[in-house]
Amino acid sequence: MIMIHPDTIHINEAHMYKKGWLGRHAPTAGELAKYVTTYANSPCMWGGGIRERANFRFADWFALDFDEGMTLEEAVKIFSPYIHIIATSKSHQKAKGKTPACDRFRVFLRFIPRCVDRYDYEATADVLIKKYKADKCRDAARFFWPCREVISLKYWGDVVEPVDAQEIARKKAHKLKAYKAKQEKLYPGKNIPCSIDNMLRYGVAENRNNASYLVAINLAERGYSEHEIFSKIWNSPIPLNASETVEREIRGAVSRAFGKARK
């Protein structure tokens, strides 16, 4: 199935495409191609034909949008194993503002099994967008204007399996729990921001004094003494070397931060 809007007069006037969406049977790439080159379309099926995330019912297809970066030639090779349609979008090889003309296109991939949850749909979008560096068209109310020309079409091949959003959430929760346990071990009774923890663990590429100040003020606000703060920074990778000049700079940054945090 694919959702299309029969209004072909008001193309590019998005406010006209909130309601009135219709479902169409599109089990093959060939049938899908006819719709996506003629009508405003979406792989998301919405209850009542009203385009809202809350109305998401299911999706048999998924669309990746490429506005720059990947070329058509690269896309044809990368997606060749999959059931797919690759079709140029309306701005293909046209300049957009300050962005020069380049390949702009859409890739439709087949879901099997059907995606029946909007959170799974959006979680799958996150994975595929990150993997292929596509545009961030990820919400379950997304629609697209008609494509200009089909460049590649394949009826048989690999498919996309929907991602389990709940499983991802469980893994994130488990990872966060493990991280917090490690944080508690390193900083008993304190809730240290991840960015500060990373500086203490891995150091910084530049701006040693700024990093020392940021770490110091965060630790001071969480109850560490000036001596404890200096010790943590001095024994971290931030200093890079143990010269007297570096020590003096770090002590100065810690002193300034500690004084400000205690005001």
Side-chain angles (χ1 to χ4, degrees):
M1 295 288 291
I2 180 86
M3 206 135 224
I4 62 106
H5 201 289
D7 184 350
T8 58
I9 298 173
H10 297 95
I11 296 296
N12 297 327
E13 298 179 46
H15 67 281
M16 301 292 292
Y17 292 82
K18 178 71 174 177
K19 300 178 181 179
W21 289 84
L22 304 173
R24 290 293 182 263
H25 196 53
T28 70
E31 288 168 299
L32 182 71
K34 296 179 211 174
Y35 293 118
V36 301
T37 53
T38 307
Y39 302 100
N41 61 86
S42 177
C44 302
M45 304 299 294
W46 301 301
I50 300 173
R51 182 175 59 84
E52 288 184 2
R53 288 179 70 245
N55 291 340
F56 178 91
R57 295 295 180 265
F58 64 86
D60 289 327
W61 296 87
F62 181 80
L64 285 165
D65 197 52
F66 292 89
D67 228 11
E68 55 183 295
M70 188 181 292
T71 66
L72 274 170
E73 184 179 0
E74 290 169 337
V76 170
K77 290 179 182 178
I78 289 170
F79 295 103
S80 61
Y82 291 88
I83 297 173
H84 71 257
I85 298 168
I86 300 175
T88 55
S89 54
K90 61 186 179 67
S91 57
H92 175 61
Q93 286 302 327
K94 294 181 180 179
K96 289 179 67 175
K98 295 182 180 180
T99 306
C102 63
D103 287 347
R104 295 189 176 95
F105 56 93
R106 210 157 287 136
V107 178
F108 291 86
L109 302 172
R110 188 78 159 91
F111 267 134
I112 294 182
R114 168 181 283 179
C115 183
V116 295
D117 183 277
R118 80 168 185 258
Y119 297 106
D120 290 353
Y121 179 90
E122 292 175 351
T124 305
D126 290 336
V127 171
L128 294 177
I129 288 168
K130 182 178 180 180
K131 180 177 181 180
Y132 296 112
K133 296 181 174 59
D135 289 0
K136 294 181 180 179
C137 301
R138 49 98 58 193
D139 67 271
R142 174 68 60 172
F143 79 98
F144 301 100
W145 299 122
C147 293
R148 284 167 53 187
E149 179 186 8
V150 173
I151 301 300
S152 177
L153 186 152
K154 187 175 180 183
Y155 283 89
W156 306 102
D158 295 342
V159 295
V160 173
E161 184 175 348
V163 169
D164 186 337
Q166 289 187 352
E167 181 61 23
I168 289 178
R170 282 191 291 268
K171 287 180 179 178
K172 284 184 177 178
H174 178 75
K175 189 175 180 180
L176 180 61
K177 185 177 179 181
Y179 174 77
K180 286 184 175 180
K182 188 178 287 185
Q183 285 279 84
E184 180 62 25
K185 188 176 180 180
L186 288 169
Y187 316 103
K190 312 293 193 302
N191 183 20
I192 306 299
C194 183
S195 59
I196 301 302
D197 181 46
N198 284 340
M199 289 182 190
L200 289 169
R201 286 171 180 270
Y202 309 115
V204 291
E206 53 188 14
N207 294 327
R208 179 180 61 227
N209 288 350
N210 288 346
S212 297
Y213 181 84
L214 285 173
V215 170
I217 201 164
N218 270 274
L219 296 185
E221 288 172 348
R222 287 162 176 79
Y224 283 91
S225 70
E226 190 170 347
H227 174 74
E228 288 174 321
I229 295 169
F230 172 78
S231 179
K232 283 191 174 293
I233 296 173
W234 186 249
N235 292 304
S236 77
I238 292 174
L240 290 179
N241 61 72
S243 71
E244 290 184 9
T245 301
V246 172
E247 180 180 355
R248 187 164 55 250
E249 289 174 351
I250 291 176
R251 284 192 184 278
V254 170
S255 179
R256 290 194 305 275
F258 190 81
K260 182 175 181 180
R262 286 291 179 250
K263 285 182 179 179

